[in-house]
Amino acid sequence: TQRLRDIINKGLTNEELLRGVQTAYEQGWDKVKLYFMIGLPGETDADATALSAGAAVLGGLSSSRLDNALVRTDKVAASVSASANLFEDVGIYYVSADVLPGIDPAVTGAKLDAVIAEFVKNGPTADELNRVTTSSISGTISGLESVGGFGGKATTLAEGALYRNDPGAYRRDLEELAKLTPAKVRDVTKQWLSRPVFTLKIVPGERENGEGDVPAAASKAAPFPESYFYADPKGEKAVAARLGPDRSKLPEVGDFPNLDFPEIERATLKNGIPVIFARRDAVPKVQVSISFDAGYTADPKDALGIQSFMLGLMEEGTTTRSSVQIAEESERLGAGISKGASLDRTSFSLSALTPNLGASLGLLSDIVRNPAFEPKEVERVRAQQLTAIAAELTRPASLAARVLPGKLFGDAHPYGIPGSGLGDAKVVKALTPVQLRAFHRRWIRSDNARIIIAGNTTLAQVMPMLEDNFGNWPQDRMARPVKPPLDVGTPPKPAIYLIDRPGSPQSIITGGQVLGVRGRDDVVALRAANDILGGSFLSRINFDLRETKGWSYGSRTGIASQDGPLTFTVSAPVQTDKTGASIAAIREQLSAFLGARGTTPAELERTLNNSIRELPGSFETAGDVLGGIANIVNFGRPDDFYETLSAKYRAMDAASLDATARAQIDPNRMVWVVVGDAKTVRPQLDGLGLPVEIVPAPVAE
């Protein structure tokens, strides 16, 4: 808090600015970013609620002033945001804009200043403030469905107790928000945003000292003051007496309840769409997902990226609503609508307040069924996707993720595509509204759909709403589309593919192999074995590279979740001069675990206890339950799958986990992709006994 006060009162030092720029480069920012910042009072100040509401109107809502002006209308920014970040005693008002490629940053900055100035002068409208209020209350309700986490019951009560000596302070905050007037928000915003501001422009360019280099004075961490630690000459009992509870030993572990997964009900709409439902009544909200058997594998090989392009346009206007109208209506309803895709499925999700469920489903139905693909919106979203592709091609981890699937499956296989689904820039540049409309018509259709619902309603109550909005969706008379087969041919030869990134201060190591199991197979034991090997913080690979050797901030292994053949993958960002040694260490850990040094009793106990004890808390929200049902349905599990997991874990032993892992994972079949400085890294790789090939980094065309 004191440091924030210093920054607000005195400004940033040169060293702090260097740190900020360093962070930007490390995160792969490749676009011009503009920041507007100003000091604010803390969250206990009388103006806090009005400042937060005003920031939401300015740049927090989907229909915010900045979004409408800079992104939708003038098209001078790829994205914008505004927020009042409030701490105990001070806060910072942030406004940021990502300048659209090809636009002069001065033009974007001038427009940004103009919108802020107009808002400071006139404040929000009553409708804007009402939308902020409804959206905020809906978000608070969603957060309170969880026990912990950001916005959960424990955090909310603790913050009220800590900062205001009132665990129920959140109620007063909501009441104050509901009573806000446009005049109050205008006056408070004018008072604080009329003060001098700090502006920062981050511009991509060559790194003069090598990427991430910072003067020594800026990189030295200040030592902790002595007051952070204390010595107690009288021993641990004196410490315990002063602190209260006896902290010389861990508390006893209590009993854990068994998971009681909600009962699953099923029905069918009159047009044949299956409906799967589970009741969860902790808060007055309902979660809905309508999914389609599509996914990125539905993208034609000569049109990679078409689905992401289509999804980017689904909320940007329908045949009856503009993008602004969609955003404003969802905010008035307190509804959240999102869309996304995996390799195998495309889905649209709705989070709705129970009293507004019918109207929210109507909005969702219009978005799913009637996208307009207006040419002006197509061009705007095209620019956003091209910007995202360009950013992906500058980030080491993203580069590795684009290359590895093709090396594992082959470029011709449906899974041999970049995992992000953004596709190829050349394709995205050429796609037309006609092609996008045809792709939507082919894959987003009633006979290819499934609806899953979880929340505070009943199946009997929700079925008429679903019939009104989706049951009248006629079936397409054309044959249902079929995706390419997922069979795998000859396994790839083990090799290391090196993507040269000159001057990189660290290397990104990824590796993988295709396994002999598919999504519908029983992989519970395999995932448990993976937790020991590299799937958790205390796993062998992470502990070796991070805690023992200190070469990596964090390393992971994972088992994919998809319909077709699963993959086992490794990911490890490491310091450049330890790239070869890190791969050797990973291979050594793999060979040891799959050979003479299998699962230990301590690892077995820790892993199984964790898996069993986390189950009851894994489904505390309706969204969690919906996700569980989706896994049950998508992978053909029995309805009681999650309730039987505890018994499965208890029946496992070290021998069964070792046998499962050894039957699937073979370190000698791994294919590796490394992103790093070839000049430094290549000599380290040549001694690993694998062929090394330098491959050009993908570039935006």
Side-chain angles (χ1 to χ4, degrees):
T1 301
Q2 183 58 47
R3 193 72 201 98
L4 284 170
R5 286 197 191 99
D6 291 345
I7 291 173
I8 291 169
N9 293 331
K10 303 175 185 177
L12 295 175
T13 67
N14 288 336
E15 291 180 357
E16 288 164 336
L17 285 174
L18 284 168
R19 279 187 176 278
V21 174
Q22 176 194 15
T23 301
Y25 283 137
E26 288 175 347
Q27 293 179 356
W29 291 350
D30 64 306
K31 60 182 80 69
V32 177
K33 298 180 73 75
L34 305 179
Y35 285 93
F36 166 108
M37 309 176 198
I38 194 166
L40 296 178
E43 69 170 35
T44 60
D45 190 89
D47 292 341
T49 300
L51 283 167
S52 295
V57 172
L58 181 61
L61 296 174
S62 297
S63 65
S64 74
R65 295 281 184 92
L66 290 170
D67 271 288
N68 288 343
L70 275 71
V71 178
R72 292 190 175 96
T73 303
D74 291 343
K75 300 179 179 62
V76 295
S79 63
V80 291
S81 66
S83 62
N85 292 1
L86 304 177
F87 307 99
E88 181 178 8
D89 293 326
V90 297
I92 302 178
Y93 203 106
Y94 281 103
V95 181
S96 69
D98 291 345
V99 179
L100 203 64
I103 301 297
D104 183 349
V107 173
T108 305
K111 186 64 180 178
L112 185 71
D113 290 342
V115 174
I116 294 173
E118 195 280 332
F119 182 71
V120 168
K121 178 181 178 182
N122 297 316
T125 67
D127 183 56
E128 286 174 324
L129 190 56
N130 177 63
R131 300 201 308 270
V132 167
T133 300
T134 305
S135 298
S136 298
I137 292 174
S138 179
T140 299
I141 290 172
S142 294
L144 292 175
E145 191 176 9
S146 301
V147 173
F150 296 102
K153 298 181 184 72
T155 304
T156 301
L157 296 174
E159 286 183 344
L162 176 64
Y163 298 130
R164 283 177 277 183
N165 199 30
D166 177 12
Y170 72 94
R171 293 193 184 96
R172 291 192 285 107
D173 291 341
L174 293 178
E175 291 171 358
E176 183 180 354
L177 178 63
K179 294 176 182 178
L180 277 180
T181 64
K184 169 70 173 177
V185 175
R186 179 199 62 209
D187 294 344
V188 168
T189 300
K190 183 179 298 184
Q191 175 188 348
W192 287 97
L193 267 66
S194 296
R195 300 164 65 241
V197 303
F198 169 76
T199 58
L200 172 66
K201 180 169 70 173
I202 298 177
V203 182
E206 295 299 323
R207 300 159 178 81
E208 294 181 0
N209 299 322
E211 181 182 15
D213 287 352
V214 176
S219 61
K220 291 181 180 178
F224 284 107
E226 286 293 330
S227 59
Y228 276 43
F229 308 96
Y230 57 84
D232 194 328
K234 295 184 179 180
E236 292 180 345
K237 290 185 179 179
V239 176
R242 183 167 70 245
L243 298 180
D246 181 2
R247 302 184 187 276
S248 64
K249 61 181 180 180
L250 293 173
E252 296 295 325
V253 176
D255 295 330
F256 287 80
N258 291 323
L259 170 65
D260 182 17
F261 197 82
E263 179 184 354
I264 297 176
E265 302 177 67
R266 287 174 169 79
T268 304
L269 299 184
K270 57 189 176 186
N271 61 355
I273 297 178
V275 177
I276 305 96
F277 173 83
R279 178 169 172 78
R280 200 58 178 257
D281 59 4
V283 295
K285 297 203 76 170
V286 179
Q287 305 290 330
V288 181
S289 172
I290 177 166
S291 66
F292 299 85
D293 183 13
Y296 296 134
T297 53
D299 283 15
K301 284 292 184 179
D302 60 353
L304 294 181
I306 188 172
Q307 183 158 196
S308 290
F309 200 170
M310 177 200 74
L311 287 173
L313 285 156
M314 297 296 283
E315 290 182 80
E316 302 306 328
T318 69
T319 53
T320 58
R321 293 175 170 95
S322 69
S323 59
V324 173
Q325 288 173 324
I326 290 172
E328 291 179 350
E329 187 171 345
S330 65
E331 291 157 2
R332 291 189 191 101
L333 293 169
I337 295 176
S338 59
K339 68 277 182 188
S342 64
L343 283 171
D344 304 302
R345 266 165 286 281
T346 303
S347 60
F348 299 83
S349 300
L350 167 70
S351 174
L353 293 165
T354 302
N356 295 343
L357 180 57
S360 300
L361 283 170
L363 181 60
L364 176 67
S365 175
D366 192 30
I367 290 171
V368 172
R369 296 174 57 178
N370 306 309
F373 299 115
E374 289 287 344
K376 65 177 182 178
E377 298 291 353
V378 168
E379 294 311 312
R380 182 170 64 81
V381 173
R382 188 196 311 277
Q384 291 176 334
Q385 187 159 334
L386 290 172
T387 300
I389 293 172
E392 189 173 78
L393 296 178
T394 68
R395 296 169 182 155
S398 299
L399 279 173
R402 287 184 72 92
V403 172
L404 183 61
K407 301 302 182 184
L408 292 178
F409 288 98
D411 293 335
H413 191 276
Y415 285 174
I417 58 176
S420 68
L422 290 173
D424 298 330
K426 185 176 181 180
V427 169
V428 174
K429 288 178 181 178
L431 288 171
T432 67
V434 172
Q435 290 172 296
L436 294 165
R437 197 171 290 113
F439 186 86
H440 174 271
R441 186 168 56 249
R442 176 172 172 78
W443 292 100
I444 309 303
R445 43 193 280 172
S446 61
D447 60 352
N448 203 31
R450 176 189 294 136
I451 298 175
I452 303 175
I453 300 178
N456 194 347
T457 184
T458 66
L459 184 60
Q461 290 171 333
V462 78
M463 282 299 288
M465 303 179 198
L466 294 175
E467 291 287 7
D468 288 344
N469 292 290
F470 293 100
N472 56 4
W473 190 359
Q475 291 196 5
D476 197 310
R477 289 179 292 180
M478 301 295 291
R480 183 176 171 178
V482 178
K483 291 182 288 187
L486 298 175
D487 299 330
V488 177
T490 304
K493 293 181 179 180
I496 299 175
Y497 298 93
L498 174 58
I499 300 174
D500 187 17
R501 195 165 186 264
S504 183
Q506 68 172 0
S507 298
I508 299 295
I509 298 172
T510 60
Q513 71 173 93
V514 180
L515 304 178
V517 287
R518 299 168 77 96
R520 286 179 169 257
D521 293 328
D522 185 350
V523 291
V524 174
L526 183 60
R527 294 190 188 281
N530 176 70
D531 284 344
I532 296 170
L533 181 56
S536 66
F537 182 86
L538 294 177
S539 65
R540 292 193 184 183
I541 290 176
N542 186 65
F543 204 84
D544 182 38
L545 291 184
R546 174 185 163 121
E547 302 299 314
T548 302
K549 295 183 169 67
W551 296 346
S552 173
Y553 184 76
S555 307
R556 304 281 291 184
T557 65
I559 307 294
S561 180
Q562 55 205 33
D563 288 353
L566 305 186
T567 55
F568 168 76
T569 55
V570 180
S571 174
V574 301
Q575 61 190 67
T576 299
D577 62 339
K578 299 298 182 183
T579 305
S582 295
I583 294 178
I586 294 170
R587 295 173 73 190
E588 181 181 346
Q589 290 291 341
L590 289 171
S591 297
F593 181 74
L594 300 168
R597 292 192 288 119
T599 304
T600 67
E603 288 172 331
L604 179 70
E605 180 182 16
R606 182 179 68 239
T607 298
L608 297 187
N609 280 345
N610 180 65
S611 297
I612 293 169
R613 292 169 180 173
E614 73 179 2
L615 276 172
S618 298
F619 299 101
E620 64 178 341
T621 70
D624 295 334
V625 171
L626 189 146
I629 295 174
N631 284 332
I632 286 172
V633 174
N634 293 337
F635 299 117
R637 315 290 190 214
D639 286 0
D640 64 351
F641 172 74
Y642 289 105
E643 292 181 323
T644 62
L645 275 182
S646 292
K648 287 185 177 181
Y649 287 127
R650 292 188 176 96
M652 293 178 187
D653 57 22
S656 64
L657 292 188
D658 291 345
T660 299
R662 290 165 185 163
Q664 293 298 327
I665 303 171
D666 183 354
N668 295 318
R669 291 173 48 208
M670 296 281 288
V671 174
W672 302 88
V673 173
V674 177
V675 182
D677 185 347
K679 180 174 55 128
T680 304
V681 170
R682 175 64 189 265
Q684 303 174 48
L685 303 180
D686 287 337
L688 294 175
L690 291 172
V692 179
E693 178 183 339
I694 297 181
V695 297
V699 295
E701 299 181 27

